[in-house]
Amino acid sequence: MNSQNLEALFGGKVRLWTGDMPVEQAALDQLKNISELPILGGHIAVMPDVHMGKGATVGSVIPTLSAVIPSAVGVDIGCGMLAVRTGLKASDLPDSLASMRSSIEHDVPVGFSFHKDKLAVGGDSPAGAVLQQRYDTLMASFGDLALFTGLGHFNQERMTQQVGTLGGGNHFIEVCLDESQQVWVMLHSGSRNVGKTVGEAAMEAAKKHVATLDIALPDKDLAWLADGTVEFDQYTSALSWSQDYARLNRDVMLHFVIRAIEGVLGRSLNITDEAVNCHHNYLSKEEFGGQSVWVTRKGAVSARKGQMGIIPGSMGAKSFIVCGKGHEAAYCSCSHGAGRKMSRAAAKRYFTAEDLSDQTAGVECRKDDAVVDEIPGAYKDIDEVMAAQSDLVEIKHTLKQVLCVKG
């Protein structure tokens, strides 16, 4: 069933940019549940990478009035992408990228690992000094937030040590080549344990809030916090802080990745293009149709007219640097990636490490059983995803990875 036919099922409450791609029934059921919430400030916009998520559907843009849904943002608050073009050409890279991957994995903790001490960017570069100042300022401002009693217990030591770390799951660091054989560095990560703590505590607070109302939710994970309550103020301020943490985390990681590459090549890198650093799990106050609404992008990227963004494929496919077209009906948004077509558990049952090796041929990356759930075959075809949102974004660069670091 194509997107137009699917929209008819929702009576105008949902708009889809999925083209002729199938949408799993579980995701459609979630969208129906969200569309019936009394706090909505308009239709839900569904991106072509849509699939079932926890609470709210991944690949959805949800406008709400005077209320926010913590589970719609999720626990990886501020998760997003960062990409920069370097002054390197493909010919500047060594024949084997194994040592480069090893160096990056040494300098950037992956999986559950984190730095042993508080951040020390090191070096005398102006960029390093700016990052250190941003880190020091952000950590100092943590005490101003009403988090300790209102939103659960924080592991402050881990919080200070996880800046500049990758995490696991679908997070990655890649070295890519564009259509002109220019080398790019691209990475994907978020707010680590900070976002998880804030998100989980806010979800519980939301359930308690809705329990005081005479409302039967179709899904308890869709509980919200109402503007004007203490919990709303605590969550939105903590969420804003976590989004800043996520952005800084990506910037610091990039600094470490560039340093690792320079060490392997024995030369300095010149960043020749402005960095694109964009969230795709976040909340912001925006205006559409003359109405001020809270916009939750869960697995979606802001794509206002002229705004740059990143849409990655899987670890064996293409990725894209895009420019937004400002499509108001989509709340000026686009997809955040290819989107899963198979759950992690199903991918591990269906594919093998040998399949992963075949599907990532030519890419220097892990090819073991532990990352089989990230195999390209578990994701939608990125070309179909891009075709379905041609009215949302314009492709500026097409990237193909030659190195991928996974947690």
Side-chain angles (χ1 to χ4, degrees):
M1 188 178 294
N2 63 31
S3 57
Q4 289 184 332
N5 291 332
L6 286 173
E7 286 180 4
L9 297 177
F10 292 103
K13 295 181 178 180
V14 178
R15 292 283 307 276
L16 295 97
W17 279 263
T18 53
D20 293 325
M21 292 186 295
V23 180
E24 61 183 329
Q25 187 59 49
L28 293 175
D29 292 340
Q30 280 190 323
L31 291 170
K32 183 176 185 300
N33 289 339
I34 301 169
S35 71
E36 294 174 352
L37 294 177
I39 58 171
L40 285 186
H43 64 268
I44 302 164
V46 179
M47 302 296 104
D49 57 342
V50 61
H51 60 89
M52 183 181 71
K54 179 175 173 54
T57 321
V58 177
S60 62
V61 185
I62 307 168
T64 52
L65 293 170
S66 301
V68 296
I69 308 168
S71 70
V73 179
V75 295
D76 199 356
I77 297 170
C79 185
M81 299 289 304
L82 171 60
V84 294
R85 184 167 57 186
T86 73
L88 298 175
K89 285 275 196 178
S91 57
D92 295 318
L93 298 177
D95 292 337
S96 172
L97 297 176
S99 62
M100 186 176 292
R101 177 163 75 95
S102 178
S103 182
I104 293 171
E105 290 171 342
H106 176 270
D107 287 2
V108 179
V110 303
F112 292 104
S113 300
F114 47 89
H115 297 289
K116 294 181 180 179
D117 300 298
K118 294 181 179 180
L119 181 69
V121 174
D124 299 322
S125 70
V130 169
L131 286 174
Q132 189 68 53
Q133 180 61 45
R134 284 175 57 193
Y135 171 85
D136 293 340
T137 301
L138 187 65
M139 293 305 147
S141 68
F142 179 80
D144 296 333
L145 300 175
L147 298 173
F148 299 101
T149 57
L151 286 174
H153 172 71
F154 278 79
N155 185 328
Q156 292 189 68
E157 184 177 25
R158 179 180 293 187
M159 177 186 72
T160 61
Q161 296 169 346
Q162 283 192 324
V163 174
T165 67
L166 183 63
N170 62 354
H171 293 171
F172 63 79
I173 299 167
E174 291 184 344
V175 176
C176 307
L177 303 178
D178 68 13
E179 63 283 346
S180 299
Q181 297 297 289
Q182 290 278 344
V183 176
W184 291 66
V185 174
M186 181 169 70
L187 54 86
H188 170 209
S189 190
S191 53
R192 311 294 281 111
N193 189 255
V194 170
K196 180 176 183 293
T197 304
V198 170
E200 290 178 346
M203 290 177 199
E204 289 304 310
K207 290 175 183 177
K208 291 178 182 178
H209 169 70
V210 172
T212 66
L213 308 176
D214 187 21
I215 293 175
L217 285 177
D219 181 347
K220 63 181 181 180
D221 284 328
L222 293 177
W224 62 83
L225 295 171
D227 196 354
T229 64
V230 171
E231 293 79 9
F232 177 95
D233 292 338
Q234 288 178 334
Y235 174 58
T236 52
S237 63
L239 179 140
S240 178
W241 193 93
S242 300
Q243 289 175 178
D244 289 342
Y245 181 103
R247 188 179 298 276
L248 176 63
N249 181 40
R250 291 192 290 273
D251 285 336
V252 171
M253 258 195 292
L254 175 67
H255 181 81
F256 290 154
V257 171
I258 295 296
R259 185 180 66 185
I261 295 174
E262 289 177 336
V264 172
L265 297 180
R267 58 178 287 186
S268 297
L269 297 192
N270 178 34
I271 304 303
T272 62
D273 208 14
E274 184 178 352
V276 181
N277 194 336
C278 55
H279 298 319
H280 55 224
N281 280 355
Y282 73 109
L283 178 74
S284 65
K285 194 69 173 290
E286 301 178 22
E287 185 170 307
F288 290 99
Q291 179 175 248
S292 181
V293 294
W294 288 99
V295 176
T296 299
R297 292 184 176 90
K298 186 180 180 71
V301 179
S302 179
R304 293 189 175 276
K305 188 173 180 62
Q307 184 177 18
M308 301 300 291
I310 308 169
I311 303 177
S314 63
M315 62 190 289
K318 294 175 289 187
S319 297
F320 299 91
I321 306 298
V322 299
C323 183
K325 293 186 176 181
H327 199 307
E328 291 272 329
Y331 302 108
C332 299
S333 305
C334 66
S335 83
H336 81 312
R340 298 192 72 92
K341 66 178 181 182
M342 186 181 294
S343 71
R344 295 187 181 279
K348 287 190 172 183
R349 289 194 301 267
Y350 188 81
F351 294 109
T352 65
E354 184 178 357
D355 295 325
L356 177 62
S357 182
D358 291 341
Q359 293 186 27
T360 58
V363 181
E364 172 59 46
C365 64
R366 290 178 59 184
K367 301 176 190 284
D368 54 82
D369 289 331
V371 292
V372 165
D373 55 337
E374 282 294 297
I375 191 170
Y379 284 83
K380 297 178 183 179
D381 185 306
I382 189 63
D383 287 320
E384 291 185 18
V385 168
M386 296 306 296
Q389 58 185 332
S390 60
D391 59 341
L392 305 184
V393 292
E394 176 187 358
I395 297 172
K396 290 296 187 180
H397 297 287
T398 301
L399 310 184
K400 179 67 179 74
Q401 69 274 79
V402 291
L403 181 156
C404 179
V405 171
K406 299 291 293 188

